[in-house]
Amino acid sequence: MTIRDDQLLRSRLRDAFDADPALDAFQLAVDVHDGIARLHGVVGSYAEKLEAFSIARRMADVRDVVNDLHVRPYGADWRVTDRQITDHVRERIGLALVETGEVNFSVDHHVVTLSGLVPTVEERALVRHVVETVPGVDFVDNDIEVGSR
């Protein structure tokens, strides 16, 4: 890719970030070199970090994405306690139709660690997805195993 191609790709990425209502891209920066996008700066939640990565991965002509974004909750999310996160995670896992006895979790300083056993890879991904969108969650460590008893 030429420098001009990288500049155009960077501009398209910025436009896509700014247009996404699920992403507050004010402190999100992107650099592009040889078609490799490097995301850096600050976003307000783990869900926003994943959204920015997803946008960049889907963009035509992006060869790879390096996600160096940092999560620093702002607004009401920074005041969410681990106890509140625990309650919301329990509720979301129930909404995902997962037997709560088969998925365990712990919350420590806004980091959720998942463990347990589910029957499919899709269910493992679903549990992670519903948990990572809980307000106040900075990171999800998904140690859920796939298999049967």
Side-chain angles (χ1 to χ4, degrees):
M1 292 189 100
T2 67
I3 291 173
R4 175 87 174 126
D5 292 335
D6 284 342
Q7 290 172 339
L8 288 171
L9 185 53
R10 181 191 176 281
S11 178
R12 288 182 22 232
L13 282 164
R14 278 294 339 157
D15 290 345
F17 294 148
D18 291 339
D20 191 315
L23 184 62
D24 181 358
F26 180 70
Q27 295 183 30
L28 187 159
V30 60
D31 299 319
V32 179
H33 182 70
D34 289 332
I36 299 172
R38 179 178 167 259
L39 310 178
H40 55 100
V42 177
V43 291
S45 69
Y46 188 65
E48 286 185 62
K49 180 176 179 173
L50 293 175
E51 180 68 13
F53 180 77
S54 178
I55 290 169
R57 292 289 301 167
R58 290 190 311 259
M59 181 73 60
D61 301 325
V62 170
R63 290 184 13 210
D64 199 7
V65 178
V66 177
N67 194 347
D68 288 333
L69 288 170
H70 294 281
V71 175
R72 187 172 308 130
Y74 42 78
D77 281 356
W78 73 271
R79 291 187 295 259
V80 176
T81 66
D82 282 352
R83 183 72 210 148
Q84 290 169 315
I85 292 171
T86 298
D87 293 343
H88 286 134
V89 167
R90 185 174 295 111
E91 178 182 312
R92 296 267 177 104
I93 288 174
L95 291 175
L97 303 177
V98 176
E99 295 286 331
T100 55
E102 296 181 29
V103 174
N104 302 304
F105 67 93
S106 63
V107 180
D108 185 31
H109 292 87
H110 295 236
V111 174
V112 178
T113 302
L114 299 169
S115 60
L117 181 68
V118 294
T120 66
V121 172
E122 293 80 13
E123 191 167 343
R124 181 180 191 268
L126 175 63
V127 172
R128 179 188 184 109
H129 174 73
V130 299
V131 170
E132 68 196 8
T133 59
V134 169
V137 171
D138 289 343
F139 185 76
V140 177
D141 184 13
N142 192 355
D143 293 333
I144 295 174
E145 295 181 19
V146 176
S148 59
R149 292 184 191 192

